[in-house]
Every structure is written in structure tokens, then in C-alpha cells.
């Protein structure tokens, strides 16, 4: 007698944020019916957020891209391609033809070959790679650099934690988290700055909450009162664009009150005396400066108290995009590392630096070399390519002719989307590898559907450098990203670099090319430790804590790179008595996630319970504005304006400031951001933009 269904439980890794939770999928008849975390899961600790627990319906969604799509307009513009392959194409809908994968990659390869011959390899660029496995990310940058001979490869770290990599690598030689998450249980004091951890990284927040409840040892620093702040000993709400100011003030207090660890400084850092002199002579580093910032005077006492506890205790600092997505994001990260270097709060259990990365494999994509200035293993690239904002300029100028996009919805998640729309319209060829018809696919000539994380084997690296080897929960006939790239490379004549047959083939090459981190991370070892994972660098054993003896700089020493805060924006307006007024102009907006969704919501919106919890982007405004705005408003900046947004009023947002989620492309939130960005690494200034309010609620409009 045959079974009515086949039921099995398969261990893998969550496809959402950088926490990288271990999961177990319950599968019946090749369909996921449940996902849970086992109680002994090292990362999850037996708990998942609602995305990890319920957000799997996308795998079977009716609108998954399951066949290649070739845009008819592209074929009409390229009649020779139509002539060569027309007999193998069939009608899909009014916009697209469809075909077998082999035909689609042949068409793409023919077009890329023409562009390379006509304009040169560096007329091509590749953007993406952080939403797929390390194997595919590695193949992606290799296809760009080796097959197309272009240095222009980038990923979504450009809009999130590139400043963390820059700031940490400059000061301590490595741009990654120093400790495992469970060190939270060993720490004596925690600082969370620029991170809405309970919504963006809830499984890490569970640990922070547990320790904060027990020990009352948490400081939360942000521009609004986040949920985590309810548990904070210090709920430190700061003005917009004040991160560097606050962090330098903490350093000032530690130096002025001689709370630093002289032995650690002498043995493990250099140039402290120069740094000390600059801090003590900086008029903006003295906490007394904030006594003149109306509405924030209390910081003059709170900041020194936070600095004292951090310095004298075994402490950890956690940060998110509220630090990095600013004009001075890289320098703010350097200021964070200065605090650890001065106090010896690094290189040991329960003390360290923890950038909370966003995408499930953004750490891995950077490790694989999906950056224009680094090869795999963070080796310097022989030719430095353009970063994404520079690529948009090059597209508009006609220097970039073709784009390969892999899992990055750049017309939704990047800034200045009106400019990006124009840039992509200027391309001769765009190909997208995706799960769904996201916003960027509107610009694509060829779209190829690929396996999701729950349908393939691959390595993912989470925010604490922990490698998890995922395995498919369900079987799929769709190709993996690296398989598409291998087909195209071979058709372009690059059989030398692309002869992969399995994902393990790709990974074994990674272990050779990136030995400083991955030489010992063979599949069989990752399989054996699937639930626990292994933290790079991995040789004979893995490395849970970095910088135990030396920093990963050339001389093994940590260094100080001081940047003085420069008054601007909101703080300068407060000082000039121009900020607080009753007008609907000159509000400062920050953006962030809501718990039910993940970034562009491409996957989460296919789970009805998640979508219904957050079906539109919402604007949070101060209760003092309730009588002025009405129910809906448009936000307008010098760069563009949003669609109408629903408003909620709260006492968690300070006067003349706003917060908005960014999950739905229809809101056009990113139309109001321009090209303003981190001065070193071009990460967009998403956490601060000046906007005017245009009420559109019926009761306001009628008046």
C-alpha cells in the first residue's frame, strides 16, 4: 500500500536577514508545510521571527518566474537575434516571448559578445549577489571580471554596510563582526546605536532583551524611540546626523576622565597620543556642546554616563544602517572602533564590535569579491571598478552599455530612483535573474527565473561570519544562478574559468582562491556542523572571536583615524533658531523596516498573513502634528516626491522629525533621496533627508 504523501524534515538556513537562523522545513509532497527552529539551534536558539516561521509561501507562488522571458521590443531592436532564434521562441504574453533556458542564455551571450566587441569589456557591469549563495556570488563576480573583462561589479552592501567594511578595515584590518551572538550573555554592558533591532534582527534582539532585563545594562542611541528602548537603562534620543558627534563625545569623556586601558593601548594600538590630542582640542567633542541644542540638552549628562559604563565594563557595541547610511557613515564606524581600541573592549569573550548586517548573504557576497575594489578574500582588485552610484552616472553618460542584475531591485531600493530609471533606459541590454517580476524587471530585456534559497544547495555567511550550508527543502527544475552564469560564460568562450558541474565544484574553487577565510570549510565539514555553522576564518577549526592576539592589519596594530564632527543640518538649524516652527516645511525623515517584511517584500508579500500586517508603507509623525497633516501626506524633497502615505501619530517620534518604512515600490520613497552619500564609500544618505509635507487627507484637502 502506497503512502498518501511523503513527509520529511530537512535542515537548512533562513532566507531572510543576516542573522542566519538555522531552520527545519517540514515538507509533504514536495511542498513546504511548516518551518521551525530546533531547540538546540545555535543561532536561532529554537525561535524564529514571523518571516522565518511563516514566510515560505513565495516558493509556490503562482507568479514565480518559471520560464525565461525575452522582451518583444528587444527582439524588434535586434532583428538579427530574432532571425537567429525566432523559431525557438513562443508567445508568453503581450510583452514577452518565452523559450528554453539554453536559448535564453544563447541570446544573452550573443548580445553581450556584440557589446564587448563594440565598446569593450568595461562597458558591462554586474550588480547584485547578496540574496543568493556564496557559490553564485563568486560566479557572478568571476563572470564580470574574467568572462566580460570588466571591473564593474557591486552588490547591495553599497546601500547598507559598505561603511562598516571601510571603517573597520581601516582601523582594525577586518570589516566583520568580532564575536558570536552568544557572547551577549557574557557581556556586562551593551550599546545599540542606529539599529531597530527588535524589528530588523529580532533573534539577536531576543538575547539583548534577556540580558537587559536581568542586568539593566543597555544603552540605546537613535533618532527616535524604538521598541528596544523600552528596556534601556539609557534611552538616548539624538538629533539627526549626530552619530559622529555623540561617538566622539564618548571618546572625549573616556580620555578626559582617564578611563582608557593604557596597557591595551600600548601593546595593541598605535598613534593614540595624536588621537588624544585631537579629541581634547575638538570643541564639538566636549559633551557640554549639546547644552545649546534645544530639545536635546539632557544628552550632556547621558552621554558621559554611557561612556563611563562602556569604558569600565566588558562591553559590546551593535549598530545598523542608522550609523552607515549617512554622509559620515564610514567615519562614524571608525569612531565606534576607537571606543573599543581605547578600552580594550575587543578581542575577548563578551566584548566586541557587532555590525548587524541586513541581507541573508551580504557578508558572503562581499567575502566572494562582489565589490569593485576587492577580489575574493578582500584582496585588492588590480583594476578598481565603479561603485553603483558611479555606474548610474556612467549609464547616463553612455559609458556603460549593459547590465547583469542578480537579485537586487535597484529601481526600488537605491536612492534617486528617477535618475536610475533614466540611466537604465539608456542601456543597450539588461538581463535580470530573479524569483519574481520585481520593479527592476520592468527595465529588463531578458528575465530568467532562478531557484530560491529553499530550492538549492549553497553556503551563506551570516552577520557574525558564520557559514551555513543550506540544502534544498523542495525540488525545483529552475536553474541556480551559478548555472546560468556558467552556461553564458561557456557560450562566450570562457570554458577555462567556467567548468563547474555542481555547487560544490564552485565552492572548492572558492576555498583555493580565498584561503585566508575558507580553506578548511569543505562541504563535508559544513554538512557535519549544519546546525551550528562554522565561523571564518576556518582552517583546522573555526574562529568564533577575531583579534585575540593581533588585529588583521599589516602590523597587527589597531589605529585611530580621527574625523571631527562638522555642524550641519538639523543641529545647525537648532543652533541658528531656525528649526522649531509650525510650518509644514523642513522636516527630517529617516527610514527603516517593519517586522513582517523584508526589504522590497518580494518574498514576504506572498504570505497573506505577513502582507496583511503591513500592506502599505506607513509614515510615523509626532503627536504634535496630528491636527496639521491629516490622514495622508506626500513627502517632497528637492529631488522628488513620494506617493500619498498613510500617517500614524506617536510620541516615539520627536517634533519636526519623521520615520517611514520602505517595503513597497509603489510608495516611491526613494524618489526623495538624491545622490548625497558617505564621502568615502558612496552609501546613500537614507537615514536623513529634509522634506516638506503636502497634506492630501480629505479633511485637510477640503479645508
Amino acid at each position: 500500500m502506497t503512502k498518501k504523501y511523503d513527509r520529511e524534515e530537512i535542515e537548512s538556513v533562513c532566507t531572510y536577514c543576516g542573522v542566519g537562523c538555522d531552520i527545519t522545513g517540514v515538507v509533504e509532497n514536495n511542498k513546504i508545510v511548516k518551518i521551525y527552529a530546533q531547540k538546540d539551534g545555535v543561532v536561532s536558539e529554537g525561535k524564529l521571527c514571523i518571516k522565518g516561521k511563516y514566510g515560505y509561501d513565495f516558493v509556490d507562488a503562482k507568479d514565480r518566474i518559471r520560464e525565461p522571458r525575452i522582451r518583444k521590443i528587444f527582439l524588434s531592436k535586434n532583428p538579427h537575434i530574432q532571425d537567429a532564434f525566432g523559431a525557438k521562441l513562443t508567445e508568453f504574453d503581450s510583452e514577452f516571448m518565452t523559450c528554453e533556458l539554453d536559448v535564453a542564455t544563447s541570446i544573452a551571450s550573443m548580445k553581450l559578445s556584440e557589446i564587448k566587441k563594440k565598446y569593450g569589456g568595461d562597458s558591462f557591469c554586474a550588480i547584485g549577489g547578496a540574496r543568493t549563495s556564496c557559490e553564485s556570488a563568486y560566479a557572478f563576480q568571476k563572470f564580470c571580471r574574467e568572462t566580460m573583462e570588466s571591473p564593474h561589479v557591486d552588490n547591495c552592501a553599497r546601500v547598507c554596510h559598505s561603511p562598516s567594511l571601510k571603517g573597520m578595515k581601516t582601523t582594525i584590518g577586518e570589516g566583520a563582526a568580532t564575536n558570536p551572538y552568544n557572547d551577549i550573555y557574557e557581556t556586562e554592558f551593551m550599546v545599540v546605536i542606529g539599529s531597530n533591532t527588535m524589528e530588523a534582527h529580532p533573534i539577536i534582539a531576543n538575547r539583548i532583551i534577556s540580558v537587559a532585563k536581568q542586568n539593566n545594562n543597555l544603552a540605546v542611541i537613535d533618532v527616535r524611540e524604538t521598541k528596544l528602548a523600552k528596556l534601556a537603562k539609557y534611552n538616548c534620543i539624538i538629533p539627526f546626523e549626530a552619530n559622529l558627534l555623540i561617538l566622539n563625545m564618548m571618546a572625549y569623556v573616556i580620555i578626559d576622565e582617564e578611563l582608557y586601558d593604557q596597557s591595551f593601548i600600548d601593546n595593541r594600538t598605535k598613534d593614540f597620543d595624536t588621537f588624544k590630542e585631537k579629541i581634547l582640542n575638538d570643541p564639538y567633542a566636549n559633551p557640554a556642546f549639546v547644552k545649546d541644542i534645544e530639545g536635546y540638552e539632557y544628552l550632556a549628562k547621558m552621554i558621559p554616563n554611557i561612556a563611563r559604563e562602556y569604558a569600565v565594563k566588558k562591553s559590546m557595541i551593535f549598530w545598523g544602517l542608522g550609523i552607515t547610511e549617512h554622509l559620515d557613515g564610514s567615519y562614524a564606524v571608525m569612531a565606534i572602533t576607537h571606543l573599543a581600541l581605547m578600552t580594550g573592549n575587543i578581542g575577548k569573550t563578551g566584548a566586541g564590535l557587532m555590525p548587524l548586517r541586513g541581507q541573508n548573504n551580504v557578508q558572503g557576497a562581499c567575502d566572494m569579491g562582489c565589490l569593485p575594489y576587492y577580489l575574493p578574500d578582500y584582496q585588492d582588485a588590480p583594476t578598481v571598478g565603479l561603485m553603483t552610484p558611479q555606474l548610474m552616472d556612467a549609464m547616463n553618460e553612455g559609458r556603460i552599455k549593459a547590465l547583469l542584475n542578480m537579485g537586487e531591485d535597484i529601481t526600488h531600493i537605491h536612492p534617486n530612483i528617477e535618475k536610475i530609471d533614466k540611466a537604465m533606459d539608456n542601456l543597450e541590454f539588461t538581463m535580470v535573474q530573479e524569483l519574481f517580476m520585481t520593479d527592476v524587471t520592468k527595465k529588463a530585456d531578458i528575465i530568467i527565473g532562478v531557484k530560491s534559497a529553499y530550492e538549492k544547495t549553497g553556503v551563506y555567511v551570516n552577520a557574525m561570519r558564520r557559514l551555513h550550508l543550506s540544502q534544498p527543502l523542495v525540488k525545483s527544475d529552475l536553474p541556480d544562478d551559478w548555472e546560468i552564469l556558467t552556461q553564458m560564460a561557456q557560450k562566450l568562450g570562457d570554458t577555462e574559468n567556467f567548468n563547474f558541474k555542481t555547487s560544490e565544484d564552485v565552492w572548492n574553487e572558492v576555498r583555493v582562491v580565498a584561503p585566508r577565510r575558507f580553506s578548511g570549510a569543505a562541504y563535508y565539514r559544513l554538512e557535519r556542523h549544519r546546525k551550528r555553522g562554522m565561523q571564518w576564518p576556518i582552517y583546522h577549526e573555526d574562529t568564533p572571536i577575531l583579534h585575540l592576539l593581533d588585529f588583521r592589519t599589516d602590523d597587527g596594530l589597531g589605529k585611530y583615524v580621527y574625523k571631527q564632527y562638522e555642524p550641519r543640518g538639523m543641529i545647525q538649524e537648532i543652533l541658528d533658531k531656525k528649526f522649531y516652527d509650525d510650518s509644514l516645511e523642513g522636516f527630517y525623515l529617516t527610514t527603516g523596516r517593519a517586522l513582517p517584511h523584508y526589504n522590497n517584500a518580494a518574498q514576504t508579500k506572498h504570505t497573506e498573513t505577513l502582507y496583511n500586517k503591513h500592506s502599505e508603507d506607513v509614515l510615523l509623525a509626532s503627536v504634535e502634528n496630528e491636527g496639521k497633516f491629516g490622514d495622508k501626506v506626500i513627502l517632497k524633497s528637492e529631488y522628488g516626491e513620494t506617493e500619498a502615505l498613510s500617517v500614524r501619530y506617536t510620541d516615539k517620534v520627536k517634533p519636526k522629525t519623521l520615520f517611514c518604512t520602505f517595503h513597497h515600490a509603489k510608495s516611491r520613497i526613494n524618489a526623495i533621496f538624491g545622490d548625497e552619500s558617505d564621502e568615502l564609500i558612496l552609501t546613500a544618505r537614507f537615514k536623513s533627508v529634509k522634506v516638506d509635507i503636502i497634506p492630501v487627507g480629505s479633511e485637510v484637502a477640503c479645508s
Side-chain angles (χ1 to χ4, degrees):
M1 185 174 179
T2 58
K3 292 181 180 179
K4 289 185 178 179
Y5 57 80
D6 293 318
R7 180 186 176 96
E8 54 184 332
E9 297 194 1
I10 304 168
E11 293 179 0
S12 197
V13 61
C14 181
T15 187
Y16 289 107
C17 77
V19 175
C21 288
D22 44 273
I23 63 170
T24 297
V26 181
V27 180
E28 295 178 0
N29 289 342
N30 204 41
K31 181 179 176 65
I32 303 169
V33 297
K34 180 181 179 181
I35 284 180
Y36 71 95
Q38 295 188 18
K39 291 181 179 179
D40 60 346
V42 171
V43 174
S44 68
E45 297 187 309
K47 299 175 182 176
L48 297 175
C49 77
I50 57 174
K51 292 187 291 293
K53 191 172 184 179
Y54 301 112
Y56 54 80
D57 289 354
F58 71 89
V59 174
D60 297 310
K62 292 180 180 178
D63 52 350
R64 277 287 296 274
I65 304 169
R66 300 196 180 277
E67 61 292 295
R69 302 178 189 182
I70 318 295
R71 197 175 296 274
K72 292 178 179 178
I73 294 174
F74 168 75
L75 294 169
S76 65
K77 289 180 179 178
N78 294 270
H80 61 295
I81 292 178
Q82 171 73 56
D83 292 342
F85 296 98
K88 298 179 181 180
L89 302 175
T90 57
E91 186 92 9
F92 180 77
D93 62 17
S94 60
E95 286 187 82
F96 294 101
M97 303 295 285
T98 188
C99 58
E100 296 296 323
L101 175 64
D102 180 66
V103 176
T105 55
S106 294
I107 293 173
S109 301
M110 177 182 283
K111 187 61 181 177
L112 288 175
S113 177
E114 292 169 3
I115 287 173
K116 184 179 178 181
K117 287 175 183 175
K118 186 175 181 180
Y119 303 108
D122 61 359
S123 67
F124 169 85
C125 69
I127 300 174
R131 298 292 301 141
T132 187
S133 64
C134 284
E135 292 86 342
S136 289
Y138 175 77
F140 188 66
Q141 62 83 33
K142 189 178 186 182
F143 179 85
C144 184
R145 289 189 164 108
E146 302 293 339
T147 306
M148 291 302 294
E149 299 179 306
S150 171
H152 307 313
V153 60
D154 208 353
N155 78 84
C156 67
R158 186 65 47 220
V159 291
C160 59
H161 271 287
S162 286
S164 293
L165 173 57
K166 178 68 174 178
M168 295 176 79
K169 207 165 191 320
T170 300
T171 51
I172 58 175
E174 188 70 87
T178 59
N179 296 61
Y181 302 145
N182 282 353
D183 271 25
I184 293 169
Y185 298 124
E186 307 294 328
T187 194
E188 296 170 347
F189 190 67
M190 301 174 288
V191 178
V192 176
I193 179 167
S195 167
N196 181 16
T197 321
M198 286 179 69
E199 304 234 18
H201 301 90
I203 303 303
I204 294 177
N206 287 345
R207 292 166 166 85
I208 295 173
I209 291 165
S210 175
V211 172
K213 283 181 175 179
Q214 182 177 340
N215 300 324
N216 191 27
N217 61 347
L218 172 64
V220 176
I221 304 173
D222 214 306
V223 296
R224 66 184 180 112
E225 185 175 323
T226 61
K227 290 181 179 179
L228 191 62
K230 295 176 183 177
L231 297 156
K233 182 177 183 179
Y234 303 106
N235 176 17
C236 187
I237 301 176
I238 64 175
F240 276 59
E241 300 174 44
N243 292 324
L244 183 60
L245 174 71
I246 300 305
L247 293 162
N248 283 348
M249 286 179 176
M250 288 178 65
Y252 179 97
V253 171
I254 291 167
I255 290 173
D256 184 55
E257 299 182 11
E258 297 185 352
L259 302 175
Y260 46 81
D261 184 335
Q262 189 66 58
S263 175
F264 189 92
I265 289 169
D266 291 343
N267 291 318
R268 298 204 53 188
T269 76
K270 62 182 180 182
D271 301 329
F272 175 71
D273 289 339
T274 302
F275 172 73
K276 176 180 176 180
E277 183 180 356
K278 288 180 178 178
I279 281 274
L280 294 178
N281 289 293
D282 180 352
Y284 303 118
N286 190 325
F289 172 70
V290 291
K291 291 180 180 178
D292 296 325
I293 310 299
E294 182 184 351
Y296 297 90
E297 297 90 345
Y298 66 92
L299 295 176
K301 290 185 177 180
M302 187 177 285
I303 293 166
N305 286 338
I306 295 171
R308 291 172 189 130
E309 288 215 45
Y310 175 82
V312 302
K313 293 181 177 179
K314 190 165 61 170
S315 303
M316 300 179 79
I317 302 183
F318 305 81
W319 71 94
L321 306 190
I323 281 286
T324 59
E325 292 180 340
H326 283 287
L327 299 178
D328 52 15
S330 294
Y331 288 120
V333 173
M334 294 178 202
I336 289 172
T337 64
H338 295 157
L339 298 176
L341 291 174
M342 286 192 298
T343 60
N345 271 311
I346 189 170
K348 57 188 177 186
T349 301
L353 301 170
M354 303 294 289
L356 299 176
R357 285 183 171 268
Q359 304 278 10
N360 62 330
N361 199 38
V362 69
Q363 178 70 58
C366 295
D367 298 343
M368 295 301 106
C370 287
L371 291 165
Y373 34 78
Y374 288 130
L375 300 178
D377 229 8
Y378 300 97
Q379 300 170 77
D380 290 337
T383 303
V384 176
L386 299 177
M387 295 177 269
T388 300
Q390 296 168 323
L391 288 171
M392 296 304 140
D393 290 333
M395 290 176 193
N396 275 317
E397 293 163 8
R399 292 185 287 124
I400 295 292
K401 300 293 186 180
L403 164 68
L404 175 61
N405 178 272
M406 187 169 73
E408 185 167 343
D409 198 3
I410 56 178
T411 58
H412 175 183
I413 69 165
H414 282 259
N416 207 344
I417 52 179
E418 292 186 5
K419 175 181 174 180
I420 290 178
D421 283 342
K422 293 175 183 176
M424 294 192 67
D425 286 341
N426 214 29
L427 292 171
E428 285 193 19
F429 179 63
T430 301
M431 176 174 155
V432 173
Q433 297 172 208
E434 255 297 357
L435 306 183
F436 296 98
M437 295 294 284
T438 57
D439 196 74
V440 72
T441 63
K442 297 174 184 176
K443 304 291 184 181
D445 299 301
I446 296 179
I447 305 160
I448 299 181
V450 295
K451 287 178 178 174
S452 71
Y454 292 159
E455 297 163 305
K456 64 187 182 183
T457 299
V459 175
Y460 294 83
V461 187
N462 76 355
M464 60 166 173
R465 300 174 282 108
R466 192 178 293 273
L467 281 68
H468 283 103
L469 179 60
S470 74
Q471 59 183 332
L473 302 183
V474 294
K475 299 177 179 66
S476 170
D477 293 331
L478 290 169
D480 201 343
D481 290 294
W482 66 264
E483 293 177 293
I484 295 169
L485 295 163
T486 299
Q487 275 196 27
M488 286 171 37
Q490 290 176 348
K491 290 172 180 178
L492 284 161
D494 190 10
T495 54
E496 180 182 348
N497 284 301
F498 282 85
N499 52 14
F500 309 121
K501 299 287 190 270
T502 67
S503 61
E504 189 171 9
D505 290 342
V506 185
W507 183 248
N508 284 336
E509 182 169 305
V510 170
R511 292 171 54 214
V512 173
V513 171
R516 289 186 66 215
R517 286 164 180 79
F518 305 114
S519 62
Y523 260 27
Y524 74 87
R525 296 185 73 192
L526 297 177
E527 287 170 357
R528 194 164 65 222
H529 303 297
R530 194 186 301 279
K531 198 179 298 181
R532 175 193 179 275
M534 301 181 74
Q535 287 177 264
W536 67 246
I538 302 167
Y539 306 117
H540 297 298
E541 295 182 336
D542 69 344
T543 312
I545 300 173
L546 289 178
H547 316 299
L548 289 169
L549 298 175
D550 288 298
F551 293 106
R552 289 165 74 89
T553 53
D554 290 340
D555 57 9
L557 299 175
K559 66 177 182 178
Y560 307 88
V561 182
Y562 187 62
K563 174 70 173 179
Q564 181 175 321
Y565 167 79
E566 299 171 8
R568 63 173 186 273
M570 180 176 173
I571 289 179
Q572 190 63 58
E573 290 172 29
I574 293 175
L575 291 172
D576 294 340
K577 309 295 183 186
K578 295 178 180 178
F579 182 67
Y580 296 111
D581 59 36
D582 292 328
S583 75
L584 296 183
E585 299 176 347
F587 282 72
Y588 278 84
L589 170 76
T590 192
T591 59
R593 292 188 207 156
L595 179 60
H597 280 309
Y598 195 74
N599 284 27
N600 70 344
Q603 295 172 175
T604 47
K605 69 183 180 184
H606 291 284
T607 298
E608 188 175 356
T609 53
L610 298 182
Y611 181 78
N612 290 341
K613 286 179 183 292
H614 190 89
S615 58
E616 62 176 347
D617 286 312
V618 176
L619 182 72
L620 300 185
S622 172
V623 290
E624 72 165 20
N625 298 122
E626 192 160 2
K628 303 175 190 175
F629 290 6
D631 296 330
K632 283 187 175 289
V633 301
I634 290 170
L635 302 181
K636 183 178 181 179
S637 74
E638 60 182 298
Y639 308 105
E641 60 184 53
T642 67
E643 294 296 320
L645 302 166
S646 296
V647 187
R648 291 181 192 163
Y649 298 95
T650 175
D651 59 0
K652 309 302 182 188
V653 173
K654 297 275 273 184
K656 292 288 283 192
T657 72
L658 304 163
F659 168 84
C660 192
T661 58
F662 52 46
H663 298 296
H664 302 281
K666 62 186 179 184
S667 304
R668 292 188 62 80
I669 301 296
N670 287 8
I672 60 177
F673 296 99
D675 290 340
E676 294 173 302
S677 61
D678 179 271
E679 63 179 270
L680 300 181
I681 218 72
L682 300 188
T683 293
R685 186 189 184 180
F686 282 128
K687 293 299 182 259
S688 177
V689 64
K690 197 172 180 180
V691 297
D692 297 337
I693 306 294
I694 304 173
V696 293
S698 57
E699 71 285 350
V700 176
C702 291
S703 65

